[in-house]
Amino acid sequence: MSFNEKTQIDSFQDNSSNDEEVMLKVTEEERKRVVRKVDVHLLPFVSVLYLLSFLDRANIGNARIAGMAKDAHLDGLKYNIIAAVFFIPYSLAEIPSNILLKLIRPSRWIPSIMVAWGLVMTLMCLCKNFKSLLIARVFLGLTESGLFPGITFYLSLWYRRRDVASRIAIFFSAATVAGAFGGILAFGIEHMEGIGGLHGWQWIFCLEGILTVVVAFISYFFMHDYPSTARFLAPREKQLVVQMLKEDTQGLATHFDKKFVWQALTDYKSYLHIFIYIGLLIPVYAIALFLPTIIKSLGYSAAQAQLLTIPPFAAGCVATIGVGLWSDKLNLRGPFLIGGCLLSMIGYIVCITRSEPGAGYAGAVIAAVGVYPTIAVSLAWAGASAGGDVRKGVTLAMVIGLGNLGGICSSFIYLKAPRFYAGHGTCIALLAMSIILSLFAMWDFNRLNKAKEAYCAHHGIDDSRKGEFVEFGSESPLFRYTL
């Protein structure tokens, strides 16, 4: 434990209440049953929300090869700029959004931002040139910014740290489904060319935006806020979930205070997770934004390219869920993240070294299967490294927000077909960076855990004294990092 942590603990005066809580006696079977009940009511719904989110941000890639580049005169780097500008407001608005989610209510905040970005997406069908598409993408990034960090934070308020990776994996797998679904939709919708005076690619924006708005209005009535207020849980089940979460976080603070925001902003571990996430997200966005283009450059037609985007995303979906489940089962993050990076690197190496269409396509599938599961594991790891609700929410918003600035990089690295040396090479280098930083994180977290265990043993600190450290966050001597 660092000198600052020890000084903070030694100087702390306990101002917490000494009221005894009535603890439920819970069997493992009962706990599993209640968690499954939460799964049924939460996961399908948030997965649909994220599917629409990813569909709306990534459909620009499908629209490009459906005729947008030609009709809107997107020569040179104009498409790349349109793809990149989304990530600037998207990244900057995520921390304020997660704070507002905590201050307001998830069932009000998340549907509201969905209505906003759904309207922007729908109105993008009226865009006809570079300037209008650029402005629309700025507003799409701003309005959509709160969904992904919001749901990630939201799930952490319902599940223990050791259970959350598989749940993030399930809802993030919606991104891979969106990639596959987007290809199918684009293949069908682009045949609406000329209807209502709109091009086929404009109908892609219109119909997908309307779908988002409809689901957003429905979500006002079906989204639950917190375990303690969930209508689908019986009183004992509510108490069980709340008790389980308190035990998992050693009773750390759940209320808002500016100092918890500051704790997250000044913790070097937040920035360690940010750079791990950047190394993963740039390849993920490269796949989302350019997979149709990469496949088309291998010699396939535009229609074939739309359909051939489906298998990589479908395989990535299966891998994301499988890895998330195993990561939770073993309560490990780093090894799964490193393994996914290594597999993805193999895929990119195949893409960069082989010119045959079949080999290039196989490399794209391997790259997707490797990198997609790492996102859920990385976010679960970042959330587990932050103690307390507000600190966790800010940390996740920092990781996702600043990490998403990497999307700007993704937008400019795939320029020269068909081998895309700069793009594939950049992804390989960034995956290697994430591997190195993950190895350091595992070593550092293990070091901190051992120091805390020694400190607790020396000072006789156990769970009976957790009330003394409610506001300490990750620096609590009772808090343990996941490796």
Side-chain angles (χ1 to χ4, degrees):
M1 184 174 299
S2 69
F3 175 78
N4 287 339
E5 289 174 346
K6 182 178 184 302
T7 302
Q8 185 184 22
I9 292 170
D10 287 341
S11 64
F12 180 75
Q13 297 297 320
D14 181 19
N15 294 316
S16 60
S17 172
N18 294 319
D19 293 342
E20 294 290 332
E21 294 184 4
V22 178
M23 302 297 288
L24 293 177
K25 292 183 179 180
V26 182
T27 64
E28 184 63 15
E29 181 57 37
E30 184 182 11
R31 187 195 68 78
K32 289 181 178 179
R33 180 183 60 78
V34 174
V35 170
R36 284 195 297 269
K37 190 173 183 179
V38 172
D39 288 341
V40 169
H41 284 82
L42 261 62
L43 295 182
F45 190 70
V46 298
S47 297
V48 169
L49 302 189
Y50 189 59
L51 184 151
L52 294 171
S53 167
F54 203 86
L55 190 67
D56 289 343
R57 87 180 67 165
N59 60 15
I60 195 84
N62 299 108
R64 181 190 190 186
I65 67 170
M68 181 184 70
K70 178 183 177 181
D71 297 331
H73 308 291
L74 302 182
D75 53 315
L77 293 176
K78 288 182 179 178
Y79 170 77
N80 305 78
I81 294 170
I82 288 172
V85 74
F86 169 91
F87 297 101
I88 299 173
Y90 184 87
S91 300
L92 297 178
E94 292 194 356
I95 294 177
S97 178
N98 261 17
I99 292 174
L100 286 170
L101 182 144
K102 182 66 179 175
L103 292 176
I104 305 176
R105 290 164 55 192
S107 64
R108 292 294 173 264
W109 180 247
I110 290 178
S112 296
I113 62 177
M114 281 191 70
V115 170
W117 99 64
L119 290 173
V120 172
M121 185 82 263
T122 304
L123 294 174
M124 274 184 70
C125 73
L126 303 178
C127 297
K128 298 180 180 179
N129 53 43
F130 169 71
K131 185 180 292 186
S132 58
L133 285 167
L134 189 72
I135 294 171
R137 289 283 290 181
V138 169
F139 281 97
L140 185 66
L142 180 65
T143 51
E144 197 179 317
S145 62
L147 195 278
F148 186 40
I151 290 181
T152 304
F153 177 38
Y154 175 67
L155 291 179
S156 73
L157 302 177
W158 286 80
Y159 295 99
R160 298 180 304 174
R161 290 180 297 161
R162 65 170 297 132
D163 296 330
V164 79
S166 56
R167 275 72 187 183
I168 293 177
I170 289 170
F171 102 78
F172 181 73
S173 67
T176 58
V177 174
F181 190 50
I184 297 171
L185 275 180
F187 177 75
I189 295 174
E190 67 178 282
H191 289 91
M192 296 177 67
E193 178 73 29
I195 296 177
L198 299 177
H199 293 294
W201 59 268
Q202 291 174 302
W203 276 110
I204 293 175
F205 296 147
C206 180
L207 295 182
E208 293 179 6
I210 290 172
L211 178 61
T212 297
V213 173
V214 171
V215 174
F217 276 113
I218 294 172
S219 64
Y220 275 113
F221 303 97
F222 290 94
M223 191 168 188
H224 303 278
D225 289 313
Y226 307 108
S228 59
T229 59
R231 296 185 301 275
F232 66 88
L233 292 175
R236 175 180 171 83
E237 293 171 335
K238 293 179 184 179
Q239 188 178 352
L240 187 155
V241 176
V242 171
Q243 177 179 304
M244 184 173 63
L245 293 172
K246 284 185 177 181
E247 290 172 351
D248 181 56
T249 59
Q250 290 84 40
L252 294 175
T254 59
H255 64 282
F256 177 81
D257 193 300
K258 288 186 292 185
K259 68 181 176 183
F260 301 139
V261 177
W262 185 247
Q263 285 176 354
L265 293 173
T266 56
D267 187 356
Y268 74 91
K269 294 182 287 298
S270 298
Y271 299 94
L272 177 60
H273 282 295
I274 286 170
F275 281 102
I276 290 173
Y277 191 67
I278 286 176
L280 306 173
L281 203 64
I282 290 176
V284 165
Y285 274 129
I287 291 171
L289 293 173
F290 290 97
L291 187 60
T293 302
I294 293 170
I295 293 174
K296 186 180 178 183
S297 73
L298 295 174
Y300 299 99
S301 69
Q304 288 173 325
Q306 299 282 25
L307 294 177
L308 284 173
T309 60
I310 298 171
F313 287 118
C317 175
V318 174
T320 297
I321 296 174
V323 169
L325 290 171
W326 274 100
S327 178
D328 272 356
K329 184 175 182 179
L330 299 178
N331 197 27
L332 285 174
R333 308 301 183 216
F336 286 95
L337 195 152
I338 292 168
C341 288
L342 289 172
L343 180 61
S344 189
M345 287 174 71
I346 293 172
Y348 282 112
I349 290 170
V350 171
C351 288
I352 207 171
T353 58
R354 302 294 295 273
S355 58
E356 303 91 337
Y361 183 70
V365 174
I366 295 171
V369 168
V371 76
Y372 268 102
T374 63
I375 297 298
V377 174
S378 175
L379 292 176
W381 203 9
S385 301
D389 283 1
V390 174
R391 182 169 180 174
K392 184 182 299 182
V394 173
T395 298
L396 286 170
M398 288 172 64
V399 171
I400 297 171
L402 296 178
N404 269 291
L405 288 174
I408 299 174
C409 174
S410 301
S411 304
F412 289 99
I413 57 179
Y414 279 84
L415 300 174
K416 294 184 179 181
R419 301 287 280 278
F420 296 105
Y421 289 111
H424 296 326
T426 301
C427 289
I428 291 170
L430 288 165
L431 290 166
M433 178 188 77
S434 291
I435 290 173
I436 293 169
L437 293 178
S438 297
L439 288 169
F440 171 77
M442 291 173 66
W443 170 82
D444 189 47
F445 294 167
N446 185 54
R447 175 186 65 85
L448 290 172
N449 284 345
K450 288 182 177 179
K452 289 186 177 191
E453 288 167 5
Y455 186 88
C456 288
H458 180 72
H459 291 274
I461 298 174
D462 57 25
D463 284 346
S464 65
R465 294 179 58 185
K466 64 184 178 183
E468 301 176 29
F469 311 108
V470 168
E471 300 189 352
F472 277 51
S474 309
E475 284 70 41
S476 166
L478 294 170
F479 185 87
R480 298 292 182 268
Y481 295 98
T482 304
L483 301 185

